[in-house]
Amino acid sequence: MSAPKDPTQFNLPDRETLASSDVGSLGLAVLALTKELWVLTDRVHVMEAVLEKHHLDIREEIKRYQPDDAMTAELRQESTALIERVLNALSKD
Amino acid sequence: MNIETLNPKLNQRGRAEIDFMISMFGGSADIRQKADADVNVAAGDIEALPDDLDARSDIINPGLADSKAHRVRSLVGEFHAQNHADVCGRAFDEIFPDLEADLTALHNGPAALYLNPDFKEPDYWSGVDFHRTEGGWDGHPFAGYIHAEIIHRKIVSAGFPGGIFAQRKDVASRAPKSHYNKILDMGCSTAHFTQALQEVYPDAHITGVDLSARTLEHAFRVANAHGWNWDLYQRAAEETGFEDKSFGLVASYILLHEVPEVTIEAIFAEAFRVLKPGGDMIMSDVTRYADLDKLAAWKADQGALYGGEPHWRESASADLGAIAKKVGFVDVNAAGDAPRSYPYVVQGRKP
């Protein structure tokens, strides 16, 4: 095996990754990621609410926590805003 | 019986995933508005659009090539189409250990379930992932429960202010008589409309037929949870096998767009056959394309195209009133509710 003529070419190889035909899948992946991010954000909200009540082992309580109407509205507002930001970024000219 | 089993409390992860899916509607409102504006421009003179829906696409779609808003809206729609059932299935799987005993208990009660192990799926149904739900109506062992109590109760209901259940009850109450002894619900699915029929006609005995075993199993749970003595059969609405002149009312809600036009006619003919003389038919379904302008019909058709609705175009293009008359019904009335001509309700009487 011979050594490369210019080893620095390995520094930034011209490697093709996603093609334009992958854009649809990329968009789906971005939304999937956004959804996961939202699940975590939601979880933090719930955790804070439960911690405030107990300062104890709250894992099970978080899992089964049922937001009241006010919290549901707050979460809905924040998730809607997050989605708006992502979609606006995607559709920006 | 535990009615709460039919309105489950989800765990945090499942609930948050579902909340996200619901929020996508509000979060995409601006994009949808922009995309609609671009569609309007691409369509041009609505009256001048071709009658043929595919030809309409040939006019409109090229005009959307530079619309980012349209592409992003399509992306959001595709994401929802691909994910909504999975999200709800996962939410169910999380709580299944807590639900299992209650669900098993709901096998006991006054209702009867008759699944057919030799059931032959009609071609229009077999292998179709209706609503883009992988595996169709039977793709999960508890697909009926997931469809009824999570997808519909949690997600679809959020998009219908006033409630999909009230909508069904309103249609059930439009049958002309105040009392029926025997009612047949064609395509009863998970019993949202069956329940409405029973609540409106509390003394009636209700029989339901559907193709899907999983949805019938859930209708069975609903009946037992409420103490209703329904008979539920895995049979096609167009070939119920019941004797002539068996029922006083034959009804359906949101079945007809899931079948081709030839089957709609067969279903109406079957309803006519099993009705007693003087019996009533009331069938309700989606807005007729004929009641929409050419652009609105195109938009509805696009929704069907990407929403796992292979028969919607043909069904929504059918003249349900004419079909009802053709098979023998009289006093036929067919019309959509204002302002969106939804639901579209066709009624008739067997002379």
Side-chain angles (χ1 to χ4, degrees):
Chain A
M1 184 178 287
S2 59
K5 289 179 181 172
D6 180 7
T8 63
Q9 287 180 346
F10 280 66
N11 296 348
L12 288 171
D14 185 16
R15 183 183 188 181
E16 288 189 8
T17 54
L18 296 178
S20 59
S21 59
D22 297 315
V23 166
S25 302
L26 177 65
L28 292 170
V30 167
L31 284 175
L33 185 63
T34 308
K35 177 164 69 63
E36 291 304 310
L37 175 63
W38 170 247
V39 170
L40 289 172
T41 305
D42 179 290
R43 195 169 182 87
V44 170
H45 278 275
V46 173
M47 191 181 294
E48 287 172 345
V50 178
L51 273 171
E52 191 178 320
K53 285 174 65 181
H54 294 288
H55 309 289
L56 292 170
D57 178 5
I58 42 83
R59 183 175 300 179
E60 189 64 20
E61 190 164 347
I62 284 178
K63 182 177 157 187
R64 297 179 184 280
Y65 191 88
Q66 301 294 316
D68 60 20
D69 289 347
M71 187 174 182
T72 298
E74 182 186 336
L75 292 171
R76 180 65 46 77
Q77 191 175 17
E78 288 196 30
S79 60
T80 299
L82 172 63
I83 292 164
E84 264 177 1
R85 287 196 292 274
V86 172
L87 295 183
N88 286 340
L90 273 173
S91 61
K92 197 171 181 180
D93 288 317
Chain B
M1 293 299 173
N2 187 357
I3 301 292
E4 276 194 12
T5 306
L6 303 179
N7 188 9
K9 289 178 178 172
L10 302 175
N11 286 350
Q12 184 270 334
R13 197 181 200 293
R15 176 191 57 73
E17 281 206 80
I18 286 169
D19 282 349
F20 182 92
M21 302 302 280
I22 295 169
S23 294
M24 286 190 80
F25 188 75
S28 62
D30 286 350
I31 295 294
R32 285 186 283 113
Q33 196 172 20
K34 288 176 188 167
D36 270 340
D38 290 344
V39 167
N40 290 340
V41 171
D45 180 359
I46 293 173
E47 289 304 312
L49 286 169
D51 290 334
D52 180 77
L53 281 156
D54 291 328
R56 243 174 272 180
S57 290
D58 292 341
I59 298 286
I60 297 169
N61 283 334
L64 294 170
D66 295 326
S67 171
K68 270 197 175 181
H70 175 70
R71 291 199 296 277
V72 171
R73 176 168 68 175
S74 298
L75 176 69
V76 170
E78 187 60 21
F79 182 80
H80 194 277
Q82 288 189 24
N83 286 278
H84 75 283
D86 282 349
V87 162
C88 292
R90 283 197 296 275
F92 171 81
D93 291 341
E94 283 183 337
I95 60 173
F96 178 61
D98 296 334
L99 283 177
E100 187 172 11
D102 285 342
L103 292 175
T104 302
L106 291 177
H107 293 179
N108 302 312
L113 175 63
Y114 304 95
L115 298 183
N116 178 6
D118 301 319
F119 177 67
K120 186 177 181 306
E121 298 176 349
D123 290 343
Y124 66 77
W125 191 78
S126 184
V128 177
D129 289 350
F130 286 100
H131 297 186
R132 303 282 300 275
T133 301
E134 195 173 344
W137 303 125
D138 288 356
H140 184 288
F142 285 87
Y145 184 95
I146 294 165
H147 185 258
E149 311 305 345
I150 303 183
I151 294 177
H152 265 84
R153 195 177 291 280
K154 311 285 187 191
I155 296 181
V156 179
S157 294
F160 283 89
I164 57 173
F165 300 100
Q167 216 171 42
R168 282 148 176 76
K169 202 163 178 178
D170 173 55
V171 171
S173 68
R174 296 186 202 180
K177 299 186 183 69
S178 58
H179 177 82
Y180 293 96
N181 287 324
K182 291 181 72 179
I183 297 175
L184 172 62
D185 184 4
M186 290 180 148
C188 64
S189 186
T190 55
H192 285 162
F193 187 51
T194 327
Q195 178 168 346
L197 287 165
Q198 188 72 84
E199 288 171 352
V200 173
Y201 309 102
D203 298 329
H205 176 266
I206 296 187
T207 299
V209 295
D210 203 280
L211 301 175
S212 160
R214 301 290 86 80
T215 63
L216 283 166
E217 285 166 352
H218 192 60
F220 181 54
R221 293 182 198 107
V222 171
N224 284 333
H226 289 87
W228 291 325
N229 61 343
W230 299 347
D231 288 325
L232 301 163
Y233 294 85
Q234 187 180 21
R235 295 179 181 177
E238 63 272 28
E239 195 175 356
T240 65
F242 300 124
E243 291 184 4
D244 294 356
K245 305 172 187 174
S246 301
F247 298 94
L249 175 68
V250 177
S252 81
Y253 193 100
I254 216 73
L255 162 69
L256 304 177
H257 72 282
E258 308 288 26
V259 303
E261 184 174 1
V262 66
T263 306
I264 293 175
E265 184 172 332
I267 287 171
F268 282 17
E270 181 71 352
F272 189 85
R273 183 185 70 78
V274 300
L275 275 172
K276 295 175 180 175
D280 301 308
M281 177 186 82
I282 180 166
M283 306 282 196
S284 178
D285 213 84
V286 300
T287 306
R288 305 291 90 194
Y289 282 180
D291 289 345
L292 300 172
D293 69 43
K294 286 180 177 177
L295 184 56
W298 180 81
K299 288 177 182 175
D301 200 63
Q302 293 289 293
L305 178 62
Y306 298 115
E309 298 284 10
H311 308 298
W312 184 301
R313 178 186 290 191
E314 186 174 313
S315 177
S317 301
D319 184 340
L320 298 181
I323 296 172
K325 289 174 186 169
K326 183 179 175 186
V327 304
F329 284 103
V330 297
D331 298 336
V332 171
N333 181 47
D337 284 9
R340 295 167 49 232
S341 194
Y342 179 85
Y344 190 88
V345 182
V346 55
Q347 298 195 60
R349 181 175 58 83
K350 180 174 179 175

